[in-house]
Amino acid sequence: MTDSSTNDPIRLNGKLLLAVPKKGRLKEKALALLDGSDIQFNRSDRSDIAFSPNTPVALVFLPAADIPAFVGRGNGALGITGTDCIAEYESREPPTETTGVEQILDLGFGRCKLQVQVPEKGEIQTPEQLVGKTIATSFDGLSRKYFRELEAKQSNGEVTNGNGGEAKLKTNILHLSGSVEAAYSLGMADAVVDLVESGLTMRVAGLKPIATVLESSAVLIRSKHPSDPKWVDLITARIRGVITAHQYVLCTYNVERRLLDKVHKITPGKRAPTINNLEEEGWVAVQAMVESNRTAVVMDELKEVGAQDILIIKLENTRQ
């Protein structure tokens, strides 16, 4: 591994390596997650390595598609990538007892679908109709696996070539590293297999989905044999705390004790609410974690049953 600005080997000095996307749809949210976990770092514009001054961690900036291999082969201890990238890596390098990655945490962002897309005004309506045709994709492994299974179904499950080997794929998988959606309009392919978030890009290209190969989201992964399991567990706990903080807010309010059964149904808390007596007889103060996307509804319902002084407090981090 070298510093791209000098081409000299970087001295990592036993740092725990955490791989993060260097660009693309996952980068900014991944870095925000690390910032919330207090993993500080300074990165020069030309370097793909950034050292953390407050943790024994070095961030390695890689394409998201390369992160599963980097972690799965034991070069890095942790990584943030998409489950689509993991599945593509494992389609080429099936995991063993010592290689491959462990998915340890869904990060709650980067949700998308790997879909088979065909011309909106064309005659093709099912993926079975694409067998034997040309498919453009950057997900070669997953596409080959998907169409191999379709071909096997059409041949009544026969997947060998007669000599005990794997049958030759009839469908032509054309690898493209970018602008996959343009392959049909350029006359390069009959259909595409690509990631879709909103679907707008595909619609603009005149394409529509007819099948979903897999659904994907960003995850935290770890090596099966990390160099420092203690710090791997600590960083995981920090990241999990940030995710929980994003998902919940702290709701605090005052209410008459006689109404506790009613308000408990509205704010049961993540585990249970905290209840403290107030100086005013018959009244209590309640604190409970509430899902952040239900905040307005919860406040309305609490007010309706008689709660007062209702406050919502945003969380920065948590620990379970």
Side-chain angles (χ1 to χ4, degrees):
M1 191 173 295
T2 61
D3 185 326
S4 59
S5 63
T6 64
N7 291 322
D8 291 332
I10 288 180
R11 304 185 187 281
L12 297 175
N13 296 324
K15 291 277 191 178
L16 184 146
L17 302 187
L18 194 166
V20 293
K22 67 185 300 182
K23 59 182 180 180
R25 60 192 177 88
L26 303 181
K27 176 187 173 183
E28 295 305 323
K29 289 188 176 180
L31 294 182
L33 196 58
L34 297 182
D35 181 60
S37 304
D38 195 28
I39 300 174
Q40 302 170 13
F41 66 93
N42 294 310
R43 180 192 181 196
S44 66
D45 292 339
R46 299 180 63 189
S47 177
D48 287 335
I49 299 286
F51 293 96
S52 172
N54 67 328
T55 64
V57 171
L59 301 186
V60 182
F61 292 85
L62 296 170
D66 294 342
I67 291 176
F70 180 74
V71 176
R73 296 170 185 170
N75 301 100
L78 286 167
I80 294 175
T81 188
T83 51
D84 57 298
C85 297
I86 298 170
E88 177 67 16
Y89 159 64
E90 291 180 343
S91 73
R92 291 181 277 104
E93 298 184 32
T96 68
E97 291 185 2
T98 57
T99 63
V101 303
E102 297 176 0
Q103 298 182 37
I104 53 178
L105 197 58
D106 189 324
L107 302 178
F109 61 86
R111 301 198 185 281
C112 57
K113 296 178 181 180
L114 183 65
Q115 293 185 320
V116 181
Q117 299 267 344
V118 298
E120 190 171 14
K121 298 180 180 179
E123 297 179 356
I124 296 174
Q125 301 298 322
T126 68
E128 286 80 6
Q129 293 174 271
L130 291 169
V131 169
K133 298 184 181 296
T134 299
I135 312 298
T137 185
S138 57
F139 291 85
D140 304 32
L142 288 174
S143 297
R144 290 182 187 280
K145 179 181 177 182
Y146 182 79
F147 281 97
R148 190 174 296 283
E149 291 174 354
L150 286 182
E151 292 183 12
K153 289 180 181 178
Q154 290 188 359
S155 60
N156 297 317
E158 297 177 7
V159 293
T160 62
N161 61 12
N163 298 316
E166 199 172 56
K168 183 178 180 180
L169 192 66
K170 299 176 184 177
T171 309
N172 178 33
I173 305 300
L174 173 65
H175 174 79
L176 294 177
S177 58
S179 300
V180 174
E181 70 280 355
Y184 170 75
S185 60
L186 294 174
M188 300 173 66
D190 300 293
V192 305
V193 174
D194 202 14
L195 285 179
V196 177
E197 292 183 75
S198 67
L200 178 60
T201 301
M202 291 298 181
R203 288 194 295 273
V204 170
L207 300 172
K208 67 178 181 181
I210 59 170
T212 296
V213 178
L214 61 79
E215 295 187 6
S216 179
S217 64
V219 291
L220 180 68
I221 60 175
R222 61 175 280 171
S223 165
K224 291 184 177 179
H225 300 284
S227 57
D228 192 337
K230 179 180 177 181
W231 266 100
V232 166
D233 291 343
L234 182 60
I235 291 170
T236 300
R238 287 188 182 186
I239 292 176
R240 181 180 286 111
V242 175
I243 293 171
T244 301
H246 290 170
Q247 293 174 338
Y248 290 87
V249 294
L250 184 64
C251 181
T252 176
Y253 55 90
N254 299 328
V255 70
E256 292 182 76
R257 180 174 287 277
R258 65 182 179 83
L259 298 174
L260 277 177
D261 285 344
K262 291 184 178 181
V263 296
H264 184 266
K265 293 178 181 178
I266 301 170
T267 58
K270 195 168 184 290
R271 177 168 297 174
T274 299
I275 302 172
N276 294 307
N277 290 323
L278 292 178
E279 290 294 327
E280 185 174 350
E281 186 175 352
W283 282 76
V284 295
V286 180
Q287 289 185 330
M289 291 178 68
V290 171
E291 293 167 329
S292 55
N293 59 2
R294 295 187 62 245
T295 300
V297 173
V298 166
M299 295 180 75
D300 293 340
E301 292 178 351
L302 287 173
K303 184 67 176 178
E304 186 176 347
V305 300
Q308 299 181 14
D309 309 317
I310 306 167
L311 301 176
I312 294 295
I313 302 170
K314 289 187 177 182
L315 306 175
E316 292 294 330
N317 208 324
T318 69
R319 288 291 188 277
Q320 295 184 354

